[in-house]
Amino acid sequence: MHAIGTPDTPQNWELYRHAVVDIHFPDRTVRVGPRSPGTVEGTFPEPADGAALHVITAWNPRGRTSSAEYNAHAHGLLLDELDRRRLAWWPAAGGDTSGTHTEESVAVVGMSEDAARELGRRFGQDAIFTWTPDTWRLSACDGDTAAVSGWAASARPGRSSSPSPSERFRTDGFPAEVTYETHPLCGARRHVRDRTSPLRRSARPAVEGTD
């Protein structure tokens, strides 16, 4: 892996460098992770049609662990923003190889890397991942720190796609007008959109720039 460091390198940078991401496409789940530069193992996903996939999360802004309820609300804001921009995306989850720590994410197609970094920055994130047919890239949202490597991708065991019940959450600083449900593939909560919710304003200041 080729790394370009600056004094602004995020504190958890080495953890991010070794992270893997599971992306849940309609017919299968694909796990992708870094390998030595120039290495490509597996097949780049057909649904992306050769375009870069940017993996972005809204969980745990500024590297601090947030509550499950807060992370669910922040993720809902991220999904609303993607919908507003009319971008295609697939559910994803990033974390360590053992699965001890994972964060609900999205794999977005149709953005530039600068736009993806800016979106991550708005949600208080340290970095994003960019997957292309040739490279796996970790880019800091602030500053110029980046790490470029090859990648390996493999299919993951499928899970039941049976529907799960929705539930509402009440937590300080957020309204109750938004409903969340458990994602049938990755088990993470996802936002069931309610266009009447004042969630964007209520989410500040931990999630910035969401008007």
Side-chain angles (χ1 to χ4, degrees), residues 8-191:
D8 298 325
T9 299
Q11 180 178 358
N12 295 324
W13 188 252
E14 286 304 308
L15 297 178
Y16 303 147
R17 285 183 59 186
H18 296 94
V20 297
V21 176
D22 289 344
I23 303 176
H24 306 293
F25 296 104
D27 60 340
R28 67 194 184 285
T29 295
V30 174
R31 170 165 290 187
V32 58
R35 292 293 186 271
S36 59
T39 300
V40 171
E41 299 176 7
T43 303
F44 192 75
E46 296 90 347
D49 197 26
L53 283 169
H54 300 291
V55 180
I56 307 169
T57 186
W59 278 36
N60 301 328
R62 303 179 183 91
R64 303 187 186 101
T65 301
S66 299
S67 68
E69 292 80 7
Y70 180 87
N71 283 334
H73 281 288
H75 187 71
L77 286 176
L78 176 58
L79 298 190
D80 273 350
E81 181 64 18
L82 297 177
D83 282 353
R84 186 183 70 80
R85 300 187 188 193
R86 300 183 182 277
L87 292 166
W89 58 273
W90 294 272
D96 57 54
T97 56
S98 68
T100 302
H101 175 80
T102 60
E103 296 186 352
E104 187 176 15
S105 309
V106 289
V108 187
V109 68
M111 301 184 77
S112 68
E113 183 171 298
D114 285 345
R117 291 173 60 234
E118 186 274 335
L119 185 57
R121 185 163 54 248
R122 287 177 59 184
F123 282 87
Q125 298 302 307
D126 287 333
I128 63 160
F129 298 103
T130 301
W131 187 16
T132 73
D134 300 318
T135 62
W136 177 252
R137 180 181 176 92
L138 171 66
S139 301
C141 292
D142 288 305
D144 298 324
T145 303
V148 182
S149 70
W151 54 263
S154 59
R156 304 293 293 170
R159 299 189 185 184
S160 171
S161 58
S162 59
S164 55
S166 300
E167 57 182 323
R168 289 178 181 265
F169 293 104
R170 165 67 72 180
T171 188
D172 291 343
F174 291 102
E177 288 84 354
V178 176
T179 301
Y180 294 85
E181 65 186 10
T182 301
H183 191 276
L185 292 176
C186 63
R189 293 187 179 104
R190 64 180 179 182
H191 182 205

